[in-house]
Amino acid sequence: MLHLRLIVPADRTEGVVRTIEETVGTTHLVVLPGAARDPAGDVVMCDVAREAGDALLGDLCELGLDEAGSIAVESIDLSLSKRADKAEEEAPGEGADAVLWEHLADATHEESTLSVTYLAFLVIATMIAACGVVLDNAILIVGAMAVGPEFGPLAGLCTALVRRAPRLAARSAIALLVGFAAAMALTTGFSIVMDAVGLFDRDMLERARPNTDFIWKPDMFSFVVAVLAGIAGTLSLTSAKSGALVGVAISVTTVPAAANAAVALGYGEIDQMWGSTEQLLLNLVGIVVAGTLTLVAQKVLWGRRAVSPAPPLPETGGSAPGPPPGRRPGPRSSSAGEAGRPPQGPDPADVG
């Protein structure tokens, strides 16, 4: 279940309340007139089944609530209520399969920003991986994979492609390009310093490395693993099962490949540098392609479910189809009163 806390301008409260009441899968509706001060308005709260949440959020945004008021969404870890159980039963589909597109866009927006923290994690992860490739230590490689934050911009790029959001796509691409360029440049300098103090040696890079040779010798298995990781990572984001991201992080060799390329560049090992770069690009492309196709598939499958008629209601015995899942029954009216907007005068969101 999801908990919604809304700040609603007083002249739109009736439309918002009607929307919530007529949405399949909602319960625990609370209206506090005049409780909000900034912005001024009424506070409306309700619980909604996750599988009906995206449609309800879309309806509320169409009412202009995201501009004239506020929409806050929280996940409910525990709800002991028969009404909540009934709401989840009435909502079509399974909550684990539902995609909250607004939540996904907000999460990927934050994770795909080129920030100091993001750069710090990526640089540190690449340097740890550099130690791993020189020492041929698989434990260090796995640790570097887990520390690397690169899946955030990759997920942002996938989301931007599906939602046709050029700004998010540009932000994610910049985070990836600038982040990896900075990490590889600093790791090259790091390897030179480590060589100067006697901790790194050219022979350590050129010798047989059975545990880490795969990093600069890409093959089709590299692409297959990247595709599978992209699917798993995307599903973990959309289903709120973030624990799976750890497994995704340690299954692709983006950070180790960047580290091996940086160390090889420092020693002038061009073959290893190009092989590692190819491995890096292969993983990035595989994750983006798989993640994008996964989101497209989820969008199509959930969209088909959203337009399927609901089963007949047992208490009425009727055979007419119920309202579309997560939507108010009947088509939306274009009139201001039916949409919950003020019947007269301009929309405050437009003139603001």
Side-chain angles (χ1 to χ4, degrees):
M1 294 290 290
L2 302 173
H3 178 70
L4 271 61
R5 186 185 73 251
L6 315 174
I7 297 180
V8 187
D11 54 3
R12 304 191 188 189
T13 301
E14 182 180 351
V16 169
V17 170
R18 186 187 310 117
T19 299
I20 295 173
E21 288 178 335
E22 297 179 350
T23 298
V24 176
T26 58
T27 187
H28 302 155
L29 177 61
V30 177
V31 181
L32 303 175
R37 292 292 180 266
D38 184 21
D42 304 331
V43 174
V44 178
M45 296 180 288
C46 71
D47 296 341
V48 59
R50 180 182 173 86
E51 51 268 43
D54 186 67
L56 178 57
L57 290 175
D59 286 343
L60 294 175
C61 288
E62 287 187 8
L63 295 176
L65 197 57
D66 55 332
E67 297 180 357
S70 171
I71 303 175
V73 183
E74 300 175 347
S75 295
I76 301 177
D77 295 329
L78 177 63
S79 179
L80 302 178
S81 168
K82 289 185 177 181
R83 289 182 176 270
D85 296 338
K86 182 179 179 181
E88 289 187 320
E89 291 175 0
E90 292 176 347
E94 296 293 335
D97 297 332
V99 180
L100 297 177
W101 291 100
E102 294 297 335
H103 177 269
L104 180 62
D106 183 72
T108 52
H109 178 279
E110 181 179 354
E111 294 295 329
S112 61
T113 301
L114 183 64
S115 62
V116 174
T117 301
Y118 167 80
L119 284 175
F121 272 112
L122 189 55
V123 169
I124 292 172
T126 309
M127 289 182 177
I128 293 174
C131 296
V133 298
V134 170
L135 298 175
D136 194 34
N137 190 315
I139 296 177
L140 293 178
I141 296 297
V142 172
M145 289 167 151
V147 173
E150 73 279 6
F151 191 80
L154 290 170
L157 192 56
C158 297
T159 304
L161 292 175
V162 174
R163 302 200 72 188
R164 299 179 182 178
R167 291 185 178 179
L168 179 58
R171 182 183 298 107
S172 302
I174 290 173
L176 284 173
L177 295 176
V178 175
F180 272 108
M184 293 171 70
L186 292 174
T187 301
T188 299
F190 171 75
S191 64
I192 293 174
V193 172
M194 293 290 282
D195 180 81
V197 298
L199 295 178
F200 281 9
D201 186 83
R202 187 188 191 99
D203 293 336
M204 300 171 73
L205 186 69
E206 294 178 341
R207 69 185 180 185
R209 290 183 286 141
N211 293 322
T212 57
D213 268 348
F214 70 94
I215 293 174
W216 64 279
K217 295 178 179 179
D219 52 25
M220 283 306 300
F221 280 105
S222 301
F223 185 75
V224 170
V225 171
V227 168
L228 296 176
I231 296 173
T234 303
L235 290 176
S236 70
L237 287 178
T238 57
S239 64
K241 295 184 181 297
S242 58
L245 281 177
V246 177
V248 173
I250 61 177
S251 62
V252 291
T253 54
T254 48
V255 167
N260 201 95
V263 176
L265 178 62
Y267 284 118
E269 290 288 338
I270 304 302
D271 289 342
Q272 284 203 35
M273 185 192 71
W274 284 117
S276 301
T277 303
E278 183 181 351
Q279 178 78 276
L280 173 62
L281 295 176
L282 201 62
N283 277 267
L284 293 177
V285 171
I287 292 174
V288 171
V289 170
T292 302
L293 293 178
T294 301
L295 289 177
V296 170
Q298 288 180 296
K299 188 174 184 179
V300 171
L301 293 175
W302 194 257
R304 289 179 178 177
R305 179 173 295 177
V307 298
S308 300
L313 299 177
E315 58 270 24
T316 61
S319 58
R327 293 290 184 180
R328 302 189 300 268
R332 291 193 184 90
S333 171
S334 58
S335 65
E338 287 294 324
R341 294 182 182 275
Q344 296 179 351
D347 190 332
D350 295 333
V351 299

